[in-house]
Amino acid sequence: MCGIYCSIRVGSADSSDHCVDAEVFQALSEQLRSVNGARGPDAQTSYTLRLPTSHPPRDSSEGQARGSELQIEFFASELMLRGRAVVVQPHQQEGDVFCWNGEVFEGLNINSEENDGVKLFSRFRLDCTPDSVPGLLGNVEGPSVISWQPPTAKALTISIKSSSEKLYFARDPLGRRSLLIHKPSPLFPYLLLSSVSVGNHLAYQFEELRTEGIFCLDVGLIRQSSDFAKGLDDYLSIIPRRASAAKFAEISRVNTTLPLEDMPLLDPFGSRPFPKAWSDAVDELISQLDRSVMLRVRDIPVQFGQEGKARVAVLFSGGIDSTMLAFLAHRHVPRDEAIDLINVAFENPRKIQVQLGGNSDMLPKRERKKYRKAGEIMKVAGGGTASYLVPDRVTGLEEVDELRKLCPGRTWNLVEVDVPYEESLAARSTVEAIMWPSRTVMDLSLAMALYFASRGVGRIRSSSSECYKAYTSHARVLLNGLGSDELLGGYGRHRTAFTARGWEGVIDELQLELDRIPTRNLGRDDRIISSHGKETRHPFLSLSVVSFLAGLPVYLKLDPRLDVGKGDKTLLRLAARRVGLVEASARKKRAMQFGSHSARMEAGEGERRGDLVIGRLVDT
């Protein structure tokens, strides 16, 4: 994984470019290189291409014709997660330039000694045209791309061929890696592509790059144009992914097969054996998910000075998704190596007052009963400060015990990340800047939880009878359970859709979930987690797993006729029970921001809607 940044602007060829927007641009460019460098602490390099234009620069004064040039800067930082030696980006060979953000998980054979960026670059150099690009990207399972002539649909890639003078850039179909774009305007006449922003800056208007196609910028036309600032419409085209029939070109569609009207109720926790169709689906889900985890935890290089330390961590709430991923990682990580389970808890003044028997009126009515019950559970759980015995901490403590019993001999580090209220307040402006252009109340709640979890600074103990010791997780790969609710029907809205329109309503809602995955939170999460020089990987969002689950009839995945905790994500619950995770299989859905108490910390925030835009943003 890496951070990548590309800028294109028209400037003076004689180094006398001193206009105001040039000064603003240079300062901004330096900041963007810095924040992208944080994503890849192992190496950072830039490369600038200068191409003469057929028109004078915008700021040349009347009667003073000066030569102008198109300046294209590429910057990439490297987080080494493949191979045995650091490979410096941007990749360059005979005028081609290539920047890559991500790892190839399928579609290209790469051994443990090879670097996937190098291998993919060689593929691009062999064959990269507008006709071949969709196939090149569509046959590789991975994240985002920028490419001067050849693009890829899985990681960020930049490749340049002066003969064609085209810049290709794209994110993968699911948008698992962040790529932001600022389009030139009369006030700020430059193009920016960047993995991350520097917050609410006056000199750009960043937005998430759309994922539905591969973007092709005709740089040759820009060199002939007299006004690059008027926008990109005349220079930019989109190559549809459907132009390729490749395996990873597009997201699969949801199976629309309806169940029989008299389909019987099947209790996932009952003693009766399940029909073969359900049993086969369970076995295949375990197989598909196991392979996805294996591809995401194998061959991670050992960092210098971190021999024997955990290389893999799980963002761990104790819920069914994260526990299943932890169990499957156990199958593929060497048995003598620890796995970190990162569990974050926030000191939330509003919730603490309720737990200690204070004024429960600070909470909405619908939450009062729930948190009184949670307080009773916390008293029984023990082993920690009451402030941090949030719902996710309680389930995390319970589930690590189940994992220890099921997987003897494995060292499971439950990393308890406790975030004092003052520390969360101090970090807020930093988090707001990194998550930009995401900026709602819910964005901030989730981003805060991910920021402190991925930092990994906490404490551990091997059993409830031992004392805590300070611990920092240095694992660079973080497994994330995101995607299971969207694919397997884990949200309350799936039950609501069934009540309103039956099974057809559920199918439509599941298709809507798939359609909006690329535009929701994956880019934001990538920006937050990568700011610590770590990478999140989503086994449920492997395009192979997505294809398998989308292709299953809906009634094999969930049954809204059953109670919550049974009818939601029924197939995953059955899979968890089959591998021995009995307690995890019965866990109910709980959103991260509420399970960790990162949401609604201050008085008066109890009824704030999650989609409201936060009022205080960073001015850089």
Side-chain angles (χ1 to χ4, degrees):
M1 189 208 75
C2 69
I4 63 172
Y5 163 64
C6 176
S7 66
I8 302 179
R9 68 183 292 269
V10 176
S12 171
D14 62 4
S15 302
S16 59
D17 196 358
H18 300 299
C19 63
V20 174
D21 60 60
E23 294 173 1
V24 170
F25 172 81
Q26 294 301 336
L28 175 60
S29 183
E30 183 176 344
Q31 290 177 290
L32 288 170
R33 287 194 298 269
S34 177
V35 293
N36 277 287
R39 296 168 58 94
D42 295 324
Q44 301 91 33
T45 311
S46 62
Y47 173 81
T48 300
L49 182 70
R50 301 178 184 277
L51 304 172
T53 67
S54 58
H55 55 84
R58 256 190 354 129
D59 63 312
S60 63
S61 57
E62 188 174 351
Q64 224 181 2
R66 292 189 282 125
S68 68
E69 61 184 17
L70 196 67
Q71 299 170 0
I72 307 178
E73 180 186 6
F74 301 96
F75 172 88
S77 63
E78 179 81 7
L79 180 71
M80 192 182 76
L81 292 174
R82 279 275 171 84
R84 294 294 177 261
V86 175
V87 175
V88 178
Q89 295 199 71
H91 302 286
Q92 299 178 51
Q93 188 172 350
E94 297 177 351
D96 289 356
V97 183
F98 185 86
C99 300
W100 167 255
N101 177 28
E103 282 71 46
V104 175
F105 294 121
E106 296 184 71
L108 190 63
N109 291 325
I110 301 171
N111 66 46
S112 61
E113 302 297 321
E114 291 181 306
N115 179 276
D116 49 1
V118 171
K119 198 157 185 176
L120 192 57
F121 181 35
S122 66
R123 279 285 184 94
F124 283 13
R125 298 194 72 247
L126 285 174
D127 179 25
C128 186
T129 66
D131 291 335
S132 66
V133 161
L136 280 171
L137 294 176
N139 280 303
V140 175
E141 156 68 318
S144 308
V145 183
I146 306 172
S147 163
W148 173 263
Q149 171 82 46
T152 6
K154 163 166 183 175
L156 283 138
T157 314
I158 301 169
S159 168
I160 301 179
K161 281 194 176 177
S162 56
S163 58
S164 66
E165 297 188 341
K166 286 184 171 59
L167 180 76
Y168 297 91
F169 52 95
R171 297 169 73 194
D172 80 289
L174 286 168
R176 287 164 289 184
R177 291 287 170 263
S178 171
L179 185 56
L180 306 175
I181 182 170
H182 161 80
K183 299 175 183 178
S185 65
L187 188 58
F188 300 110
Y190 38 76
L191 172 71
L192 302 175
L193 295 164
S194 179
S195 298
V196 64
S197 76
V198 294
N200 182 20
H201 199 293
L202 295 175
Y204 57 52
Q205 292 181 322
F206 266 141
E207 59 187 73
E208 299 264 12
L209 187 71
R210 304 196 310 273
T211 62
E212 67 268 24
I214 299 158
F215 292 82
C216 176
L217 184 68
D218 193 324
V219 177
L221 286 179
I222 295 173
R223 291 175 64 186
Q224 299 169 25
S225 170
S226 61
D227 192 4
F228 179 43
K230 72 178 181 180
L232 290 182
D233 291 346
D234 293 339
Y235 318 117
L236 189 64
S237 60
I238 301 178
I239 305 171
R241 295 186 187 279
R242 68 180 68 92
S244 165
K247 180 179 180 180
F248 305 113
E250 293 187 284
I251 306 172
S252 301
R253 304 289 297 178
V254 171
N255 187 324
T256 58
T257 303
L258 295 170
L260 298 174
E261 292 185 6
D262 60 347
M263 187 181 78
L265 282 172
L266 299 171
D267 185 353
F269 304 147
S271 58
R272 292 169 55 189
F274 266 58
K276 187 175 187 302
W278 275 266
S279 183
D280 289 348
V282 169
D283 289 341
E284 185 62 19
L285 173 59
I286 294 171
S287 175
Q288 290 274 349
L289 201 53
D290 180 78
R291 181 172 183 269
S292 180
V293 170
M294 179 270 290
L295 292 172
R296 284 157 178 78
V297 302
R298 69 176 182 179
D299 299 333
I300 301 169
V302 177
Q303 299 175 62
F304 178 75
Q306 298 297 323
E307 295 81 359
K309 301 289 182 66
R311 290 177 291 168
V312 174
V314 182
L315 297 175
F316 189 74
S317 67
I320 184 173
D321 307 332
S322 59
T323 305
M324 190 71 173
L325 294 185
F327 173 80
L328 294 176
H330 163 73
R331 292 180 169 183
H332 303 291
V333 173
R335 297 301 172 94
D336 60 350
E337 186 175 301
I339 295 177
D340 289 345
L341 307 174
I342 303 179
N343 183 282
V344 64
F346 285 76
E347 181 185 34
N348 187 315
R350 296 175 60 253
K351 304 297 177 65
I352 291 171
Q353 189 165 352
V354 175
Q355 293 167 12
L356 298 179
N359 178 17
S360 62
D361 291 338
M362 293 182 68
L363 292 179
K365 289 181 180 179
R366 64 182 179 275
E367 293 190 30
R368 293 176 196 168
K369 182 177 179 180
K370 179 174 64 174
Y371 283 101
R372 287 195 194 101
K373 183 177 180 181
E376 294 171 5
I377 296 172
M378 291 172 185
K379 290 176 184 177
V380 176
T385 306
S387 304
Y388 301 113
L389 279 172
V390 301
D392 279 0
R393 179 61 50 80
V394 175
T395 54
L397 289 166
E398 292 171 351
E399 272 313 311
V400 74
D401 283 343
E402 184 170 37
L403 285 170
R404 284 169 177 160
K405 292 173 184 175
L406 195 60
C407 311
R410 167 73 65 190
T411 298
W412 297 100
N413 291 327
L414 182 67
V415 186
E416 299 182 36
V417 177
D418 298 337
V419 186
Y421 178 60
E422 293 300 323
E423 188 173 359
S424 65
L425 283 183
R428 176 169 169 165
S429 61
T430 298
V431 174
E432 287 179 358
I434 299 170
M435 75 182 194
W436 184 270
S438 301
R439 53 190 179 132
T440 68
V441 169
M442 183 177 290
D443 285 325
L444 181 59
S445 297
L446 292 166
M448 290 288 282
L450 289 173
Y451 179 82
F452 284 100
S454 57
R455 192 178 67 165
V457 178
R459 56 181 186 166
I460 62 171
R461 58 178 178 174
S462 56
S463 71
S464 58
S465 61
E466 295 193 8
C467 295
Y468 282 102
K469 63 179 181 180
Y471 182 83
T472 298
S473 174
H474 293 285
R476 288 184 163 191
V477 171
L478 308 182
L479 298 183
N480 189 331
L482 195 147
S484 69
D485 292 297
E486 289 81 358
L487 292 165
L488 287 156
Y491 293 120
R493 54 181 174 265
H494 300 124
R495 191 175 296 273
T496 301
F498 180 80
T499 301
R501 298 181 51 233
W503 288 105
E504 288 185 356
V506 178
I507 291 171
D508 290 344
E509 192 66 32
L510 288 173
Q511 185 60 61
L512 182 60
E513 299 283 7
L514 265 185
D515 292 342
R516 63 189 176 193
I517 280 177
T519 61
R520 296 187 73 185
N521 32 11
L522 287 169
R524 177 203 65 209
D525 294 355
D526 176 63
R527 292 191 291 277
I528 291 292
I529 292 171
S530 298
S531 68
H532 295 298
K534 299 181 180 182
E535 176 178 285
T536 182
R537 296 179 178 177
H538 307 90
F540 283 100
L541 291 180
S542 155
L543 285 170
S544 294
V545 173
V546 171
S547 177
F548 161 68
L549 287 175
L552 282 179
V554 62
Y555 54 87
L556 294 181
K557 296 182 281 192
L558 71 155
D559 192 341
R561 300 172 300 173
L562 296 171
D563 294 337
V564 175
K566 289 185 178 182
D568 48 308
K569 298 192 289 191
T570 309
L571 185 65
L572 183 60
R573 296 183 187 283
L574 290 167
R577 288 182 78 85
R578 181 157 298 183
V579 301
L581 294 169
V582 177
E583 291 184 36
S585 69
R587 301 277 182 211
K588 295 181 180 180
K589 167 69 181 175
R590 184 168 55 229
M592 177 171 58
Q593 68 270 34
F594 301 122
S596 67
H597 282 185
S598 65
R600 301 172 181 170
M601 290 196 184
E602 299 172 10
E605 286 190 334
E607 296 295 342
R608 290 183 69 190
R609 287 173 44 191
D611 59 354
L612 290 177
V613 174
I614 53 180
R616 179 164 55 88
L617 296 171
V618 179
D619 289 318
T620 306

